[in-house]
Amino acid sequence: MNSTHRQIAVIGGGLSGICSAYFLAAKGYQVAVIERRAHVAEEATFGNSGLLAPGVAMPLTLPGAFSTFACRFKEEPRVLLASGADFSRNRWMRQTRAAQQQRFAANKQRLTRLSAYGRELTLQLQAHYGMEHENSNGVFHLFRLPAEAARIPQMQEAAQQAELKHKSLDTAAIRQLEPAFSSEAALAGALHYPDDIAGNAVLFAKQMRNAAQELGVSFHFGASVKAIQADFGGRVTLEIDSPHLASSMTVDGVVLAAGMQSAELLRPLDTPLPLRALQSWSALVPIKNPDDAPNMALFDDSYKVAMTRLGHRLRITGLLGFVPPSQAIPPKALRNLLKIAGDYYPNAANYNQAHFWANTIPVLPSGLPVFGPTRHGNVFVNTGHGVTGWAAAVASARILADMMAGEEPEIDAEGFLPRDLATG
Protein backbone atom coordinates (compact mmCIF):
# COMPACT_ATOMS: atom_id res chain seq x y z
CA MET A 1 0.00 0.00 0.00
CA ASN A 2 2.80 2.39 -0.88
CA SER A 3 1.17 4.57 -3.53
CA THR A 4 1.06 8.21 -2.38
CA HIS A 5 -2.23 8.82 -4.22
CA ARG A 6 -4.40 6.35 -2.37
CA GLN A 7 -7.45 7.40 -0.39
CA ILE A 8 -7.70 6.46 3.27
CA ALA A 9 -10.64 6.87 5.64
CA VAL A 10 -9.90 7.14 9.36
CA ILE A 11 -12.86 6.34 11.61
CA GLY A 12 -12.57 8.23 14.88
CA GLY A 13 -11.58 11.79 15.73
CA GLY A 14 -9.73 11.10 18.95
CA LEU A 15 -5.98 11.36 19.48
CA SER A 16 -5.11 8.09 17.74
CA GLY A 17 -7.33 8.88 14.75
CA ILE A 18 -6.09 12.46 14.33
CA CYS A 19 -2.45 11.40 14.57
CA SER A 20 -3.00 8.48 12.17
CA ALA A 21 -4.52 10.91 9.67
CA TYR A 22 -1.66 13.38 10.14
CA PHE A 23 1.15 10.88 9.61
CA LEU A 24 -0.60 9.32 6.59
CA ALA A 25 -1.15 12.74 5.03
CA ALA A 26 2.51 13.56 5.63
CA LYS A 27 3.33 10.57 3.41
CA GLY A 28 1.10 11.88 0.64
CA TYR A 29 -2.13 9.97 1.22
CA GLN A 30 -5.53 11.58 0.71
CA VAL A 31 -7.16 11.21 4.12
CA ALA A 32 -10.67 11.76 5.43
CA VAL A 33 -11.51 11.53 9.15
CA ILE A 34 -15.08 10.46 10.01
CA GLU A 35 -16.21 11.35 13.54
CA ARG A 36 -19.67 10.84 15.02
CA ARG A 37 -19.32 13.72 17.48
CA ALA A 38 -19.42 17.43 16.62
CA HIS A 39 -15.74 18.02 17.43
CA VAL A 40 -12.48 16.14 17.87
CA ALA A 41 -11.33 14.60 21.17
CA GLU A 42 -14.77 14.40 22.80
CA GLU A 43 -14.74 10.77 23.93
CA ALA A 44 -11.81 8.70 25.29
CA THR A 45 -9.26 11.43 24.53
CA PHE A 46 -11.26 13.89 26.63
CA GLY A 47 -10.67 11.59 29.60
CA ASN A 48 -6.92 11.31 29.02
CA SER A 49 -4.84 11.80 32.16
CA GLY A 50 -2.43 14.23 30.49
CA LEU A 51 0.58 12.05 31.27
CA LEU A 52 3.16 12.07 28.49
CA ALA A 53 5.18 9.67 30.54
CA PRO A 54 6.79 6.43 29.34
CA GLY A 55 8.03 5.71 32.86
CA VAL A 56 4.51 5.32 34.24
CA ALA A 57 2.99 3.87 31.06
CA MET A 58 1.41 0.71 32.45
CA PRO A 59 -0.33 -2.23 30.79
CA LEU A 60 -3.84 -1.47 32.00
CA THR A 61 -4.64 -4.74 33.75
CA LEU A 62 -6.93 -4.95 36.74
CA PRO A 63 -6.31 -6.53 40.15
CA GLY A 64 -6.81 -10.27 40.44
CA ALA A 65 -10.36 -11.61 40.18
CA PHE A 66 -10.85 -12.10 43.91
CA SER A 67 -9.52 -8.69 44.95
CA THR A 68 -11.51 -7.01 42.18
CA PHE A 69 -14.70 -8.75 43.32
CA ALA A 70 -13.96 -7.75 46.91
CA CYS A 71 -13.84 -4.11 45.80
CA ARG A 72 -17.63 -4.20 45.42
CA PHE A 73 -18.01 -4.28 49.19
CA LYS A 74 -15.49 -1.54 50.01
CA GLU A 75 -16.26 2.11 50.54
CA GLU A 76 -13.04 3.05 48.71
CA PRO A 77 -12.87 0.43 45.94
CA ARG A 78 -9.96 0.27 43.51
CA VAL A 79 -12.33 -0.92 40.76
CA LEU A 80 -16.07 -0.22 40.65
CA LEU A 81 -18.29 -3.18 39.72
CA ALA A 82 -21.94 -3.32 38.76
CA SER A 83 -23.97 -5.78 40.79
CA GLY A 84 -25.12 -9.10 39.37
CA ALA A 85 -23.41 -11.94 37.55
CA ASP A 86 -21.66 -11.17 34.28
CA PHE A 87 -19.97 -14.23 32.82
CA SER A 88 -18.37 -12.45 29.88
CA ARG A 89 -16.92 -9.87 32.28
CA ASN A 90 -15.58 -12.59 34.55
CA ARG A 91 -13.99 -14.38 31.60
CA TRP A 92 -12.37 -11.13 30.45
CA MET A 93 -11.08 -10.49 33.98
CA ARG A 94 -9.47 -13.93 34.10
CA GLN A 95 -7.66 -13.09 30.87
CA THR A 96 -6.43 -9.75 32.15
CA ARG A 97 -5.33 -11.34 35.42
CA ALA A 98 -3.29 -13.90 33.46
CA ALA A 99 -1.68 -11.08 31.45
CA GLN A 100 -0.75 -9.30 34.66
CA GLN A 101 0.74 -12.39 36.26
CA GLN A 102 2.48 -13.98 33.27
CA ARG A 103 3.38 -11.22 30.84
CA PHE A 104 3.53 -8.01 32.84
CA ALA A 105 7.31 -7.54 32.64
CA ALA A 106 7.50 -8.12 28.87
CA ASN A 107 4.43 -5.96 28.18
CA LYS A 108 5.73 -3.17 30.41
CA GLN A 109 8.99 -3.09 28.45
CA ARG A 110 7.14 -2.97 25.13
CA LEU A 111 4.85 -0.17 26.30
CA THR A 112 7.70 1.84 27.81
CA ARG A 113 9.67 1.66 24.56
CA LEU A 114 6.61 2.62 22.51
CA SER A 115 5.75 5.50 24.82
CA ALA A 116 9.30 6.84 24.89
CA TYR A 117 9.16 7.00 21.09
CA GLY A 118 5.78 8.74 21.27
CA ARG A 119 7.00 11.29 23.80
CA GLU A 120 9.86 12.31 21.52
CA LEU A 121 7.54 12.53 18.51
CA THR A 122 5.13 14.70 20.50
CA LEU A 123 7.85 17.10 21.61
CA GLN A 124 9.09 17.32 18.00
CA LEU A 125 5.58 18.13 16.76
CA GLN A 126 5.02 20.74 19.46
CA ALA A 127 8.32 22.40 18.58
CA HIS A 128 7.83 22.16 14.80
CA TYR A 129 4.40 23.80 14.86
CA GLY A 130 5.07 26.13 17.78
CA MET A 131 2.13 24.59 19.61
CA GLU A 132 0.78 26.04 22.82
CA HIS A 133 1.11 23.56 25.65
CA GLU A 134 0.84 23.26 29.41
CA ASN A 135 3.73 20.84 29.83
CA SER A 136 5.37 20.32 33.21
CA ASN A 137 8.40 18.11 33.87
CA GLY A 138 8.68 15.31 36.40
CA VAL A 139 6.33 12.45 37.31
CA PHE A 140 6.08 10.40 40.51
CA HIS A 141 4.89 6.77 40.34
CA LEU A 142 3.57 5.80 43.78
CA PHE A 143 2.82 2.37 45.25
CA ARG A 144 0.61 2.07 48.34
CA LEU A 145 0.80 -1.71 48.75
CA PRO A 146 3.86 -3.99 49.08
CA ALA A 147 2.50 -6.36 46.40
CA GLU A 148 2.49 -3.47 43.92
CA ALA A 149 5.89 -2.17 45.01
CA ALA A 150 7.28 -5.65 44.34
CA ARG A 151 7.05 -4.82 40.61
CA ILE A 152 9.43 -1.86 40.94
CA PRO A 153 12.48 -3.86 39.76
CA GLN A 154 10.59 -4.81 36.56
CA MET A 155 9.73 -1.17 35.98
CA GLN A 156 13.31 -0.09 36.58
CA GLU A 157 14.51 -2.65 34.06
CA ALA A 158 12.04 -1.32 31.50
CA ALA A 159 13.25 2.24 32.19
CA GLN A 160 16.88 1.20 31.79
CA GLN A 161 16.19 -0.51 28.46
CA ALA A 162 14.40 2.63 27.22
CA GLU A 163 17.20 4.83 28.65
CA LEU A 164 14.81 6.74 30.92
CA LYS A 165 16.20 8.61 33.90
CA HIS A 166 14.61 7.33 37.10
CA LYS A 167 15.22 7.08 40.83
CA SER A 168 13.66 5.17 43.72
CA LEU A 169 12.42 7.48 46.50
CA ASP A 170 10.84 7.31 49.94
CA THR A 171 8.29 9.80 51.26
CA ALA A 172 10.94 12.12 52.69
CA ALA A 173 12.79 12.22 49.38
CA ILE A 174 9.56 12.99 47.52
CA ARG A 175 8.93 15.93 49.87
CA GLN A 176 12.40 17.29 49.08
CA LEU A 177 11.42 17.43 45.39
CA GLU A 178 7.76 18.35 46.00
CA PRO A 179 7.38 20.21 49.33
CA ALA A 180 3.57 20.16 49.05
CA PHE A 181 3.54 16.35 49.28
CA SER A 182 1.99 15.12 52.52
CA SER A 183 4.37 13.56 55.01
CA GLU A 184 1.42 11.48 56.24
CA ALA A 185 1.02 9.62 52.93
CA ALA A 186 1.51 5.89 53.44
CA LEU A 187 3.66 4.40 50.68
CA ALA A 188 5.32 1.05 50.03
CA GLY A 189 7.56 2.53 47.34
CA ALA A 190 7.94 5.24 44.72
CA LEU A 191 9.79 5.98 41.49
CA HIS A 192 10.57 9.42 40.11
CA TYR A 193 10.99 10.10 36.37
CA PRO A 194 12.46 13.63 36.00
CA ASP A 195 12.12 13.74 32.20
CA ASP A 196 8.54 12.48 32.00
CA ILE A 197 5.93 15.13 31.22
CA ALA A 198 2.37 16.07 32.05
CA GLY A 199 0.31 18.34 29.84
CA ASN A 200 -3.00 18.85 28.08
CA ALA A 201 -3.75 15.97 25.70
CA VAL A 202 -7.00 17.52 24.44
CA LEU A 203 -5.24 20.77 23.53
CA PHE A 204 -2.59 18.76 21.68
CA ALA A 205 -5.26 16.78 19.80
CA LYS A 206 -6.98 19.99 18.65
CA GLN A 207 -3.70 21.46 17.45
CA MET A 208 -2.87 18.21 15.64
CA ARG A 209 -6.20 18.50 13.85
CA ASN A 210 -5.08 21.92 12.56
CA ALA A 211 -1.73 20.47 11.47
CA ALA A 212 -3.50 17.60 9.69
CA GLN A 213 -5.83 20.00 7.89
CA GLU A 214 -2.81 21.96 6.67
CA LEU A 215 -1.67 18.71 5.03
CA GLY A 216 -5.05 18.30 3.31
CA VAL A 217 -6.90 16.03 5.72
CA SER A 218 -10.69 16.54 5.63
CA PHE A 219 -12.75 16.13 8.80
CA HIS A 220 -16.41 15.07 8.67
CA PHE A 221 -18.32 15.49 11.95
CA GLY A 222 -21.72 14.18 12.93
CA ALA A 223 -21.11 11.15 10.70
CA SER A 224 -21.39 7.53 11.85
CA VAL A 225 -20.02 4.53 10.01
CA LYS A 226 -22.60 1.74 10.21
CA ALA A 227 -20.81 -1.04 8.34
CA ILE A 228 -17.67 -1.89 6.37
CA GLN A 229 -17.48 -4.03 3.26
CA ALA A 230 -13.92 -5.07 2.50
CA ASP A 231 -12.63 -6.98 -0.50
CA PHE A 232 -9.39 -8.85 0.05
CA GLY A 233 -6.77 -6.84 -1.80
CA GLY A 234 -9.45 -4.54 -3.18
CA ARG A 235 -11.20 -1.42 -2.01
CA VAL A 236 -13.28 -0.77 1.09
CA THR A 237 -16.85 0.55 1.11
CA LEU A 238 -18.18 2.35 4.18
CA GLU A 239 -21.89 2.61 4.91
CA ILE A 240 -22.37 6.05 6.47
CA ASP A 241 -25.16 7.81 8.34
CA SER A 242 -24.60 11.53 7.90
CA PRO A 243 -26.56 14.65 6.89
CA HIS A 244 -23.50 15.89 5.00
CA LEU A 245 -21.99 12.82 3.31
CA ALA A 246 -23.26 10.30 0.79
CA SER A 247 -24.62 7.08 2.25
CA SER A 248 -21.54 5.17 1.07
CA MET A 249 -17.87 5.97 0.62
CA THR A 250 -15.37 3.79 -1.22
CA VAL A 251 -11.69 4.12 -0.35
CA ASP A 252 -8.48 2.16 -0.72
CA GLY A 253 -8.05 1.55 2.97
CA VAL A 254 -9.60 2.29 6.35
CA VAL A 255 -8.13 2.85 9.82
CA LEU A 256 -10.41 1.98 12.74
CA ALA A 257 -9.53 4.33 15.59
CA ALA A 258 -13.01 4.46 17.08
CA GLY A 259 -12.69 2.71 20.41
CA MET A 260 -15.42 0.18 21.12
CA GLN A 261 -17.00 0.91 17.73
CA SER A 262 -13.87 -0.56 16.14
CA ALA A 263 -14.75 -3.99 17.55
CA GLU A 264 -18.38 -3.64 16.42
CA LEU A 265 -17.35 -2.81 12.86
CA LEU A 266 -14.83 -5.64 12.68
CA ARG A 267 -17.16 -8.34 14.00
CA PRO A 268 -19.05 -8.85 10.69
CA LEU A 269 -15.67 -9.16 8.96
CA ASP A 270 -14.86 -12.23 11.07
CA THR A 271 -12.10 -10.25 12.79
CA PRO A 272 -12.70 -10.36 16.55
CA LEU A 273 -11.18 -7.64 18.70
CA PRO A 274 -11.57 -8.54 22.41
CA LEU A 275 -12.10 -4.99 23.67
CA ARG A 276 -13.96 -4.39 26.91
CA ALA A 277 -15.62 -1.06 27.76
CA LEU A 278 -14.48 0.36 31.08
CA GLN A 279 -15.60 3.58 32.69
CA SER A 280 -13.02 6.12 33.79
CA TRP A 281 -13.78 9.10 36.02
CA SER A 282 -12.10 12.47 36.31
CA ALA A 283 -12.32 15.58 38.46
CA LEU A 284 -11.14 19.14 37.89
CA VAL A 285 -10.58 21.08 41.10
CA PRO A 286 -9.68 24.77 41.60
CA ILE A 287 -6.41 25.31 43.48
CA LYS A 288 -6.81 27.45 46.62
CA ASN A 289 -3.25 27.40 48.01
CA PRO A 290 -0.65 27.50 45.20
CA ASP A 291 2.20 26.81 47.64
CA ASP A 292 0.45 23.61 48.76
CA ALA A 293 -0.29 22.42 45.22
CA PRO A 294 1.97 20.07 43.26
CA ASN A 295 4.23 21.18 40.45
CA MET A 296 4.94 17.65 39.25
CA ALA A 297 2.47 14.98 38.15
CA LEU A 298 1.68 11.88 40.14
CA PHE A 299 0.42 8.38 39.27
CA ASP A 300 -1.12 6.26 42.02
CA ASP A 301 -0.59 2.62 41.05
CA SER A 302 -3.16 1.22 43.47
CA TYR A 303 -6.10 3.18 42.10
CA LYS A 304 -4.69 3.78 38.58
CA VAL A 305 -5.23 7.50 39.13
CA ALA A 306 -3.13 10.36 37.76
CA MET A 307 -2.94 13.88 39.19
CA THR A 308 -1.70 16.75 37.04
CA ARG A 309 -1.64 20.49 37.54
CA LEU A 310 -3.07 22.64 34.77
CA GLY A 311 -2.37 26.22 35.77
CA HIS A 312 -4.77 27.08 38.62
CA ARG A 313 -6.54 23.74 38.42
CA LEU A 314 -5.79 20.22 39.62
CA ARG A 315 -6.91 17.34 37.41
CA ILE A 316 -7.51 13.88 38.90
CA THR A 317 -8.07 11.12 36.34
CA GLY A 318 -8.31 7.40 35.95
CA LEU A 319 -10.35 5.44 38.49
CA LEU A 320 -11.86 2.49 36.58
CA GLY A 321 -15.18 0.71 36.70
CA PHE A 322 -17.13 -2.17 35.16
CA VAL A 323 -20.41 -0.29 35.31
CA PRO A 324 -22.80 0.83 32.55
CA PRO A 325 -22.35 4.40 31.27
CA SER A 326 -24.65 6.78 33.12
CA GLN A 327 -25.31 10.47 33.48
CA ALA A 328 -25.02 10.03 37.26
CA ILE A 329 -21.45 9.41 38.43
CA PRO A 330 -21.35 6.78 41.22
CA PRO A 331 -20.87 8.40 44.66
CA LYS A 332 -18.01 5.98 45.37
CA ALA A 333 -16.14 7.33 42.33
CA LEU A 334 -16.59 10.91 43.51
CA ARG A 335 -15.38 10.12 47.02
CA ASN A 336 -12.44 8.06 45.80
CA LEU A 337 -11.06 10.69 43.43
CA LEU A 338 -11.14 13.40 46.08
CA LYS A 339 -9.78 11.12 48.79
CA ILE A 340 -6.81 10.09 46.63
CA ALA A 341 -5.94 13.72 45.94
CA GLY A 342 -6.41 14.63 49.59
CA ASP A 343 -4.11 11.82 50.71
CA TYR A 344 -1.20 13.46 48.91
CA TYR A 345 -2.10 17.16 48.77
CA PRO A 346 -4.66 17.83 51.53
CA ASN A 347 -4.40 21.64 51.50
CA ALA A 348 -3.95 22.23 47.78
CA ALA A 349 -7.43 22.72 46.42
CA ASN A 350 -11.10 23.39 47.05
CA TYR A 351 -12.10 19.76 46.73
CA ASN A 352 -15.73 20.58 47.52
CA GLN A 353 -15.86 22.61 44.28
CA ALA A 354 -14.78 19.74 42.02
CA HIS A 355 -16.27 19.31 38.55
CA PHE A 356 -16.64 15.63 37.55
CA TRP A 357 -17.07 13.76 34.29
CA ALA A 358 -16.98 10.18 33.03
CA ASN A 359 -15.56 8.52 29.92
CA THR A 360 -15.81 5.10 28.31
CA ILE A 361 -12.44 3.62 27.36
CA PRO A 362 -11.76 0.42 25.39
CA VAL A 363 -9.29 -2.00 26.96
CA LEU A 364 -7.78 -5.30 25.79
CA PRO A 365 -7.06 -8.11 28.26
CA SER A 366 -3.31 -7.50 27.84
CA GLY A 367 -3.74 -3.85 28.82
CA LEU A 368 -1.80 -2.88 25.68
CA PRO A 369 -3.00 -0.92 22.64
CA VAL A 370 -3.47 -2.70 19.32
CA PHE A 371 -2.49 -1.28 15.93
CA GLY A 372 -1.68 -2.58 12.48
CA PRO A 373 -3.30 -4.56 9.65
CA THR A 374 -6.13 -7.00 10.24
CA ARG A 375 -6.60 -10.19 8.19
CA HIS A 376 -8.16 -7.91 5.57
CA GLY A 377 -5.12 -6.27 4.00
CA ASN A 378 -6.83 -2.91 3.54
CA VAL A 379 -8.45 -2.68 7.00
CA PHE A 380 -6.28 -1.40 9.85
CA VAL A 381 -6.87 -0.77 13.53
CA ASN A 382 -5.40 1.65 16.09
CA THR A 383 -7.10 1.65 19.50
CA GLY A 384 -6.97 0.62 23.17
CA HIS A 385 -4.42 3.14 24.48
CA GLY A 386 -6.16 3.81 27.80
CA VAL A 387 -6.25 6.89 30.01
CA THR A 388 -2.45 7.21 30.21
CA GLY A 389 -1.88 6.44 26.53
CA TRP A 390 -1.07 9.88 25.04
CA ALA A 391 2.51 9.02 24.10
CA ALA A 392 1.60 5.51 22.93
CA ALA A 393 -1.18 6.90 20.69
CA VAL A 394 1.22 9.23 18.89
CA ALA A 395 3.80 6.47 18.46
CA SER A 396 1.31 3.87 17.21
CA ALA A 397 -0.06 6.34 14.64
CA ARG A 398 3.43 6.94 13.24
CA ILE A 399 4.29 3.24 13.15
CA LEU A 400 0.95 2.42 11.50
CA ALA A 401 1.55 5.04 8.80
CA ASP A 402 5.01 3.59 8.16
CA MET A 403 3.57 0.08 7.81
CA MET A 404 0.80 1.22 5.49
CA ALA A 405 3.34 2.99 3.31
CA GLY A 406 5.51 -0.14 3.10
CA GLU A 407 8.30 1.49 5.11
CA GLU A 408 10.27 0.04 8.01
CA PRO A 409 9.07 1.52 11.34
CA GLU A 410 11.71 2.98 13.62
CA ILE A 411 10.74 0.63 16.46
CA ASP A 412 9.40 -2.93 16.51
CA ALA A 413 5.61 -3.32 16.71
CA GLU A 414 5.71 -6.90 18.05
CA GLY A 415 3.13 -7.45 20.77
CA PHE A 416 0.83 -4.69 19.50
CA LEU A 417 -0.32 -6.16 16.18
CA PRO A 418 -3.79 -7.63 15.68
CA ARG A 419 -2.21 -10.96 14.80
CA ASP A 420 -0.55 -10.99 18.26
CA LEU A 421 -3.96 -11.12 19.95
CA ALA A 422 -4.38 -14.76 18.96
CA THR A 423 -1.10 -15.71 20.65
CA GLY A 424 -1.29 -13.24 23.56
Side-chain angles (χ1 to χ4, degrees), residues 134 200 284-287 293-294 308-315 349:
E134 297 176 321
N200 190 329
L284 196 62
V285 187
I287 290 173
T308 58
R309 182 171 178 173
L310 297 174
H312 300 292
R313 300 157 296 161
L314 197 61
R315 180 165 172 165

Side-chain angles (χ1 to χ4, degrees), residues 209-241:
R209 174 203 171 176
N210 295 336
Q213 286 180 311
E214 289 180 14
L215 295 178
V217 176
S218 60
F219 284 79
H220 305 280
F221 296 104
S224 296
V225 177
K226 297 302 183 183
I228 296 175
Q229 296 178 357
D231 297 326
F232 284 98
R235 304 193 82 198
V236 184
T237 299
L238 310 181
E239 179 186 326
I240 300 174
D241 181 8

Side-chain angles (χ1 to χ4, degrees), residues 36-229:
R36 62 186 176 183
R37 298 275 191 161
H39 303 282
V40 297
E42 287 202 337
E43 296 196 32
T45 298
F46 192 78
N48 189 279
S49 67
L51 293 181
L52 190 63
V56 300
M58 300 285 287
L60 190 54
T61 54
L62 301 179
F66 180 78
S67 59
T68 303
F69 179 77
C71 286
R72 180 181 296 163
F73 306 102
K74 296 180 179 178
E75 281 303 303
E76 299 165 6
R78 294 156 66 195
V79 178
L80 272 65
L81 293 180
S83 59
D86 185 334
F87 296 109
S88 66
R89 179 188 70 194
N90 294 343
R91 182 171 60 251
W92 191 94
M93 285 170 56
R94 285 195 297 272
Q95 292 175 314
T96 193
R97 183 188 184 194
Q100 183 185 55
Q101 292 177 336
Q102 301 168 15
R103 297 184 293 278
F104 176 84
N107 286 345
K108 167 60 179 168
Q109 289 185 11
R110 289 187 177 113
L111 190 56
T112 299
R113 185 176 67 251
L114 180 75
S115 300
Y117 180 51
R119 182 186 65 184
E120 296 312 307
L121 288 172
T122 300
L123 293 176
Q124 291 171 17
L125 288 164
Q126 288 178 332
H128 178 75
Y129 287 101
M131 292 180 180
E132 296 179 19
H133 59 78
E134 297 176 321
N135 293 356
S136 62
N137 292 324
V139 177
F140 296 111
H141 191 170
L142 308 183
F143 305 87
R144 294 176 183 246
L145 302 177
E148 293 155 356
R151 296 203 305 267
I152 286 179
Q154 297 173 331
M155 297 177 192
Q156 290 178 307
E157 183 178 353
Q160 289 167 356
Q161 291 202 358
E163 299 181 352
L164 302 179
K165 291 181 182 178
H166 64 284
K167 188 175 182 180
S168 179
L169 303 176
D170 59 16
T171 304
I174 295 175
R175 290 206 80 230
Q176 286 186 328
L177 292 171
E178 186 71 273
F181 191 83
S182 173
S183 59
E184 303 298 319
L187 297 177
L191 291 171
H192 177 236
Y193 297 91
D195 294 338
D196 275 3
I197 295 169
N200 190 329
V202 174
L203 176 62
F204 175 73
K206 291 178 177 178
Q207 293 177 113
M208 282 300 295
R209 174 203 171 176
N210 295 336
Q213 286 180 311
E214 289 180 14
L215 295 178
V217 176
S218 60
F219 284 79
H220 305 280
F221 296 104
S224 296
V225 177
K226 297 302 183 183
I228 296 175
Q229 296 178 357

